Amino acid sequence: RKVKDALTGRIELITLWPLAQGEVHGTGGIIDGLFAGRPPMVQDAPVGHQAFLAPLAAGGYPEAMSRDDRRRGRWFRSYLETLLDRELRDLSDAQKLQEVPHLLRLVAAQSSGILNYQTIANRLQLNEKTVKAYLELLETAFITCRLPAWRPGLAAREVHAPKLHLVDTGLLLHVIGADEARLGQDPQVTGMALENFVAMEIVKQLVPAQVEATAYHYRFGRSEVDIVLESTAGDIVGIEVKASATPSHQDRLGLEKVRELAGDRFKLGMIVYTGRQTLPLGDRLWAVPVSGLWS
């Protein structure tokens, strides 16, 4: 913090996330194409859980990616111990940082869900203000990333709860104690981890994209979209995540609602799914295999 205070107006901040799959595979991002109304056109993608198990379990930290499951777990454990015990103390004067590992496990288990500070505070028997302060620390240390709520009107966004993701899905699985086998067998872990993975892939790709945009989520009543991108020009892209290999009509309802709200500003809606190929689903709506995020 002191470095930033000393260099105000003389530096530009660039966030270095864990590696995106486009960086791992030497391909590019898809953000600019989405805002141009062009979905990734994919054929013969892996079907089912094989479409995503390996990249989700490996994550995007270079040191962790190069290791097998057991040694990767050791690396994550050492990383968190060092980060939580040493670096967070440099960022904060808080006296109860021993509670942060418990907080991290709780928010990891609820990753991709709506953030409710009071519920977390009650579970940990902490003050709500303390929980907010610790969650801000985790975000400052690049462990978590929050997506604000999207609404058609600018003023309404701040009164709706954000979603919280861990910045790396490999780290997420380590924190909740799940390995690659459980990722493929436990539907609760599968859905949560896949949404976290897709959300962070999109957030990472926003950094180098030519279109400047911000990531949100949308939920109102029964309508929900996991990721809503809004450009500085006001254009909208919606992304829904499903672990199914067959998109259903129900999967499109949230995207259709956002399309209705945004009108002509809505450029494209995409269901990221585990099927074989890119499929048209209606007016500006597409189903795209998981690998379309980077292939």
Side-chain angles (χ1 to χ4, degrees):
R1 291 182 299 176
K2 293 179 180 179
V3 171
K4 287 198 286 187
D5 290 343
L7 296 174
T8 302
R10 289 175 286 169
I11 59 174
E12 178 182 351
L13 301 179
I14 300 174
T15 301
L16 297 180
W17 299 108
L19 293 175
Q21 290 301 304
E23 295 171 300
V24 174
H25 294 277
T27 56
I30 64 172
I31 302 298
D32 295 323
L34 297 181
F35 276 102
R38 299 192 308 270
M41 302 306 295
V42 180
Q43 297 287 338
D44 297 323
V47 177
H49 290 174
Q50 297 305 313
F52 60 82
L53 288 181
L56 264 68
Y61 292 105
E63 283 290 336
M65 292 171 60
S66 63
R67 299 167 180 244
D68 59 28
D69 285 345
R70 185 177 180 184
R71 294 187 62 240
R72 186 182 300 140
R74 291 176 178 173
W75 186 89
F76 280 130
R77 183 163 54 251
S78 299
Y79 176 73
L80 285 176
E81 287 177 357
T82 304
L83 189 66
L84 298 179
D85 183 58
R86 186 174 304 171
E87 297 200 20
L88 288 191
R89 295 188 186 280
D90 293 338
L91 290 170
S92 172
D93 299 325
Q95 299 299 313
K96 296 182 180 180
L97 287 178
Q98 70 271 13
E99 300 293 342
V100 173
H102 304 294
L103 172 63
L104 178 58
R105 285 193 290 271
L106 182 57
V107 298
Q110 301 174 3
S111 179
S112 305
I114 301 298
L115 182 57
N116 187 314
Y117 296 104
Q118 186 60 58
T119 298
I120 295 174
N122 292 341
R123 291 279 298 275
L124 296 176
Q125 297 183 337
L126 292 173
N127 182 278
E128 186 175 345
K129 290 183 178 180
T130 301
V131 168
K132 289 183 178 180
Y134 287 174
L135 286 175
E136 288 176 2
L137 278 178
L138 292 176
E139 193 167 8
T140 301
F142 295 98
I143 299 177
T144 61
C145 173
R146 73 182 71 194
L147 297 187
W150 180 84
R151 291 292 184 272
L154 295 175
R157 288 176 194 164
E158 296 301 326
V159 301
H160 293 278
K163 271 190 174 184
L164 196 67
H165 297 283
L166 265 66
V167 299
D168 184 78
T169 309
L171 180 63
L172 166 64
L173 294 175
H174 170 77
V175 172
I176 65 174
D179 59 13
E180 185 172 334
R182 183 178 176 187
L183 174 63
Q185 297 168 2
D186 187 332
Q188 184 176 1
V189 174
T190 302
M192 173 184 67
L194 182 59
E195 181 182 338
N196 192 97
F197 173 79
V198 174
M200 288 311 305
E201 282 294 304
I202 295 299
V203 168
K204 294 170 189 177
Q205 291 188 26
L206 290 175
V207 178
Q210 293 297 310
V211 175
E212 187 174 350
T214 302
Y216 302 92
H217 78 93
Y218 173 74
R219 178 179 290 183
F220 188 78
R222 296 185 177 181
S223 299
E224 178 180 1
V225 176
D226 295 323
I227 307 141
V228 175
L229 303 179
E230 182 171 6
S231 74
T232 52
D235 294 335
I236 301 296
V237 167
I239 302 169
E240 180 70 5
V241 185
K242 297 296 179 183
S244 168
T246 306
S248 68
H249 174 72
Q250 190 74 19
D251 297 337
R252 308 200 301 262
L253 297 181
L255 292 172
E256 290 173 348
K257 180 63 176 179
V258 171
R259 182 183 62 190
E260 175 188 337
L261 293 170
D264 292 340
R265 296 188 298 124
F266 185 85
K267 299 303 177 183
L268 183 142
M270 180 172 74
I271 297 174
V272 177
Y273 80 128
T274 60
R276 187 175 301 279
Q277 61 187 353
T278 299
L279 299 172
L281 299 177
D283 179 24
R284 292 167 285 173
L285 300 181
W286 301 82
V288 177
V290 176
S291 61
L293 295 171
W294 64 85
S295 62

